Amino acid sequence: MAVIGGPVESVSINGRTFGVPADSDVKIFLGGDSNTVEANGDGATARILKEIKPLKVSGLTVSIDDANDDHQFLQSIIDGFEFVDVSITKPNGDVYSGQGMITGDLESSVKTATAELEISGPGKLTKQ
């Protein structure tokens, strides 16, 4: 089977599906361990230091439809106090989902009718 890369087909945030521009370079960290290796004083041995990190989706640009109040919808999630359902459909049709929160400032581009999001959350994104 061929390896397939390309743009994310779509993202669903709290039940609402958003289009993703074809030139978006979405990066996905499933969540879990991140390792650092530290040398010991003898120079011949080392330790593995583990850090548990939340799931993260970055570089995610979504289309913003003013007629659908998309900007206000996303801001209401940021203003809320709960993680929401998030799912991402990759170009090969695989769907990854989990719970997340939009992080950072939400700025909508009037010129391109898009907004760039970063999403982070507890646990892991899992393949459905």
Side-chain angles (χ1 to χ4, degrees), residues 18-122:
F18 292 86
V20 178
D23 62 348
S24 293
D25 186 11
V26 178
K27 294 176 179 52
I28 299 171
F29 177 71
L30 296 176
D33 289 351
S34 177
N35 297 326
T36 304
V37 175
E38 298 263 338
N40 290 325
D42 62 9
T45 60
R47 303 172 318 282
I48 299 171
L49 306 176
K50 291 195 160 293
E51 180 180 0
I52 299 172
K53 291 194 170 185
L55 67 87
K56 181 172 146 183
V57 179
S58 60
L60 176 62
T61 302
V62 297
S63 60
I64 298 295
D65 183 353
D66 288 334
N68 201 28
D69 291 330
D70 286 343
H71 194 163
Q72 291 83 354
F73 175 81
L74 293 171
Q75 187 62 50
S76 72
I77 292 170
I78 294 169
D79 293 343
F81 297 97
E82 300 290 333
F83 294 107
V84 298
D85 292 331
V86 175
S87 65
I88 298 163
T89 304
K90 294 176 75 175
N92 64 356
D94 289 346
V95 177
Y96 285 80
S97 62
Q99 292 270 300
M101 174 54 78
I102 301 167
T103 58
D105 297 331
L106 176 64
E107 295 180 331
S108 176
S109 169
V110 175
K111 179 179 179 181
T112 62
T114 61
E116 188 169 329
L117 307 178
E118 183 172 285
I119 297 172
S120 192

